[in-house]
Amino acid sequence: LFDDNKKINKLPLSRVIYATMKDTDVTFYEATMTYAEIEKQFNTEAFVLNDELVRLGTEIEVVSGYWEISTICEAEAIAPVLREDVYVWRNAIRYSSKCMTKGGYSGSPVVEKNTRTVVGLHNTGNNGKLDCSDMNPCEQDETGVLIFRGLNRRYAQQVYQFYGCL
């Protein structure tokens, strides 16, 4: 959790309330503090989840708590199906090639630039192979054809489907 001075703080968590790798890649945790307590102690407001598919061309910022840095680029495309090893995800956000992430970014919020709206969660990127293997995702179009976008292409899972649930 970043406070208003961009200092990273650890938020105490009590349990996992939902996790899945089916069609998306997400885990939700329950915090031991209320929103009001978090806002008061860390002087920061909660992010808001996007309630619709991300718009192509949207400027996004992938914010890594692990590395305490971020990278800015655009939502270039929506991959109808993204495959990686045994996992299949739907409607993944493909970043423009300017978005350079690395190991440790996984799970990072993907925020619409200059807002506090989370449009996705960073989850994978191609590390050099063109075979849909672990750490080397490939896209699949509506007809089933596999498409390899090449080295260093990065992806996020959208969050709009959770907006009404939380």
Side-chain angles (χ1 to χ4, degrees), residues 1-4 35 38-39 42-48 116:
L1 173 69
F2 286 103
D3 62 20
D4 63 339
Y35 283 118
I38 293 167
E39 194 171 317
F42 300 109
N43 197 27
T44 191
E45 294 178 30
F47 287 130
V48 175
R116 297 188 63 79

Side-chain angles (χ1 to χ4, degrees), residues 1-158:
L1 173 69
F2 286 103
D3 62 20
D4 63 339
N5 294 317
K6 302 273 186 193
K7 179 181 177 278
I8 195 164
N9 299 276
K10 291 185 178 182
L11 184 64
L13 305 172
S14 62
R15 67 186 176 113
V16 172
I17 57 173
Y18 180 77
T20 189
M21 292 284 286
K22 181 176 173 33
D23 293 334
T24 191
D25 179 5
V26 69
T27 300
F28 288 102
Y29 296 92
E30 181 177 74
T32 60
M33 302 169 71
T34 66
Y35 283 118
E37 291 168 335
I38 293 167
E39 194 171 317
K40 182 178 179 183
Q41 181 172 336
F42 300 109
N43 197 27
T44 191
E45 294 178 30
F47 287 130
V48 175
L49 293 180
N50 198 26
D51 62 352
E52 59 189 11
L53 286 166
V54 69
R55 293 177 315 280
L56 300 185
T58 297
E59 281 193 295
I60 55 176
E61 183 171 9
V62 187
V63 184
S64 173
Y66 180 81
W67 292 110
E68 299 184 35
I69 58 174
S70 65
T71 183
I72 297 172
C73 58
E74 290 181 353
E76 178 179 83
I78 304 299
V81 176
L82 187 66
R83 295 184 167 280
E84 181 178 310
D85 196 28
V86 299
Y87 303 106
V88 178
W89 302 306
R90 309 218 180 268
N91 294 319
I93 302 167
R94 179 182 353 118
Y95 309 149
S96 61
S97 58
K98 293 188 306 185
C99 238
M100 296 306 297
T101 62
K102 56 186 174 182
Y105 267 84
S106 292
S108 295
V110 178
V111 181
E112 185 174 347
K113 190 175 176 204
N114 298 322
T115 74
R116 297 188 63 79
T117 302
V118 176
V119 298
L121 299 171
H122 176 79
N123 82 311
T124 194
N126 187 285
N127 290 323
K129 294 183 180 177
L130 300 177
D131 62 3
C132 301
S133 63
D134 188 36
M135 305 298 287
N136 294 291
C138 62
E139 297 178 30
Q140 181 178 340
D141 70 14
E142 294 86 355
T143 65
V145 173
L146 296 179
I147 303 164
F148 299 96
R149 298 290 176 188
L151 183 62
N152 292 324
R153 295 319 300 259
R154 305 291 187 231
Y155 298 88
Q157 297 303 304
Q158 300 207 52

